[in-house]
Amino acid sequence: MDANLEAQGFDNLVGAALRALKSTAEPEGEAPARAEGTADDGRVRATVVAGGRLAAVRIDPRAMKLGSETLGEQIVIAVNAALDELRAAPASSGEGDPAAHLRRIQDEAVLRLDVFTKAVEDALARVEAR
């Protein structure tokens, strides 16, 4: 088998792996997954985004009467509720399971490596025969 074809095959394989890894990130131009949690009968709201980042906290002026310690507790409750909702949300409807895609790429890499190894062994055998 031609070594240039094998090198090109490996290059294509690496490119496919990189595309699969990029597909696990949030798609460009799309907002990251978001979730909202509430506390104190909806007077305290927290919004989180993918990666567990806090995006916003909104406090209704009526909740300001709670006192700082109670208000802090309500904020924690709202943030934790939002994080729980985000974790429970189904994965985005992308192009299937990225891990399964990477496993397919790995399987193909093993097959191509076998072919490449055989080609190298054949080339070495021809050199040694001279």
Side-chain angles (χ1 to χ4, degrees):
M1 184 163 279
D2 189 300
N4 286 336
L5 289 176
E6 282 304 310
Q8 183 180 8
F10 276 104
D11 186 46
N12 291 340
L13 193 60
V14 170
L18 289 174
R19 285 190 300 280
L21 287 173
K22 287 179 184 177
S23 74
T24 63
E26 292 295 329
E28 289 184 31
E30 286 186 29
R34 304 174 77 81
E36 185 173 270
T38 62
D40 193 38
D41 294 324
R43 289 186 281 263
V44 177
R45 295 181 174 278
T47 304
V48 295
V49 295
R53 309 261 319 162
L54 181 62
V57 174
R58 288 175 291 292
I59 302 170
D60 185 294
R62 295 173 291 170
M64 300 302 279
K65 296 176 186 172
L66 293 174
S68 61
E69 189 173 326
T70 304
L71 180 57
E73 291 169 355
Q74 295 302 307
I75 292 170
V76 169
I77 290 168
V79 169
N80 286 334
L83 289 170
D84 290 345
E85 183 181 323
L86 185 65
R87 286 186 197 112
S92 65
S93 59
E95 292 184 11
D97 179 19
H101 186 71
L102 287 175
R103 279 191 294 279
R104 286 190 300 274
I105 291 172
Q106 181 182 19
D107 292 344
E108 186 178 341
V110 169
L111 293 173
R112 288 181 183 267
L113 185 58
D114 286 343
V115 170
F116 178 75
T117 302
K118 177 68 173 140
V120 169
E121 288 172 354
D122 290 346
L124 285 173
R126 284 192 303 267
V127 168
E128 289 174 354
R130 289 184 182 180

